[in-house]
Amino acid sequence: MPIHTEAQFTEVYRAHYEDVLRFVRRRAHPMNVDDIVGETFLAAWRRRSELPAEPRPWLFGTARRAMLNAQRGMRRRSALVVHIGQSSGPDAAYGTRDMSAQVDDRLELGAAWQGLAPADQEVLALHVWEELSARDAAKVLGCTRAAYAMRLTRAKRRLAARLAAKAPVPPALVVTR
């Protein structure tokens, strides 16, 4: 779907701006968000005649590359920063458990998340937060669908292992000598 007019580009911009903004906010330093989103849509404008029919994965991929460039220039830190603690709203998975248990679970999840490699964080975020299909997530990462599926499986296992390592051992199972 080549975009030839400003009106067509404006339509794409309006349809995908909020998604790209959320995508970048979850990953980039707050001071860099506006610049990265701006760079993403500038690249889209420059390459408007080459945009695919479904531009969302392309925009995410472009934003991802802009974030990586910004982070390399800033600190040479991890390729991705995701703030789990910023998600809001009630968490249905907790059911009727008390608030302190919810806080404990959140802290454990946050610690396990922070212990993951940036590549694992990224693949899990594309799956959970962006709700991308395997095909679209693979496009964002610039890999095959099979490679993405393998990365996702491995990232899930590593997160599960980190969470299992944090699980307390019930007192009845503790052996003392």
Side-chain angles (χ1 to χ4, degrees), residues 9 20 27 38 40 42 46 57 66 78 82 98 105 120 122 124 141 157 162:
F9 181 80
V20 172
R27 291 163 173 77
T40 300
L42 177 61
R46 288 180 176 156
S78 64
V82 180
D98 69 4
D105 287 349
D120 286 343
E122 183 174 36
L124 288 166
L141 296 175
R157 284 184 189 153
R162 288 189 155 283

Side-chain angles (χ1 to χ4, degrees), residues 1-18:
M1 162 184 108
I3 297 175
H4 298 289
T5 68
E6 189 174 331
Q8 290 172 318
F9 181 80
T10 299
E11 187 177 316
V12 168
Y13 178 85
R14 286 184 179 151
H16 299 287
Y17 175 80
E18 290 297 324

Side-chain angles (χ1 to χ4, degrees), residues 38-115:
E39 285 178 39
T40 300
F41 282 101
L42 177 61
W45 171 255
R46 288 180 176 156
R47 298 187 65 188
R48 64 189 175 274
S49 64
E50 302 168 30
L51 285 178
E54 176 48 49
R56 189 171 180 245
W58 186 93
L59 290 167
F60 284 178
T62 302
R64 177 181 174 267
R65 287 184 291 282
M67 284 185 285
L68 291 172
N69 287 336
Q71 288 175 352
R72 266 191 300 274
M74 232 177 112
R75 284 188 210 136
R76 296 231 169 293
R77 280 179 31 176
S78 64
L80 182 66
V81 177
V82 180
H83 302 283
I84 290 179
Q86 292 180 346
S87 61
S88 60
D91 201 334
Y94 292 118
T96 59
R97 295 176 52 201
D98 69 4
M99 193 60 123
S100 65
Q102 291 179 28
V103 169
D104 288 344
D105 287 349
R106 272 251 201 249
L107 291 173
E108 288 174 13
L109 179 59
W113 179 270
Q114 292 302 323

Side-chain angles (χ1 to χ4, degrees), residues 17-38:
Y17 175 80
E18 290 297 324
D19 287 340
V20 172
L21 181 62
R22 276 191 300 275
F23 179 85
V24 174
R25 277 186 179 156
R26 289 180 180 137
R27 291 163 173 77
H29 189 280
M31 289 176 32
N32 296 335
V33 170
D34 291 335
D35 289 339
I36 292 167
V37 172

Side-chain angles (χ1 to χ4, degrees), residues 135-146:
R135 188 190 85 224
D136 288 346
K139 286 180 187 176
V140 171
L141 296 175
C143 64
T144 66
R145 190 173 156 268

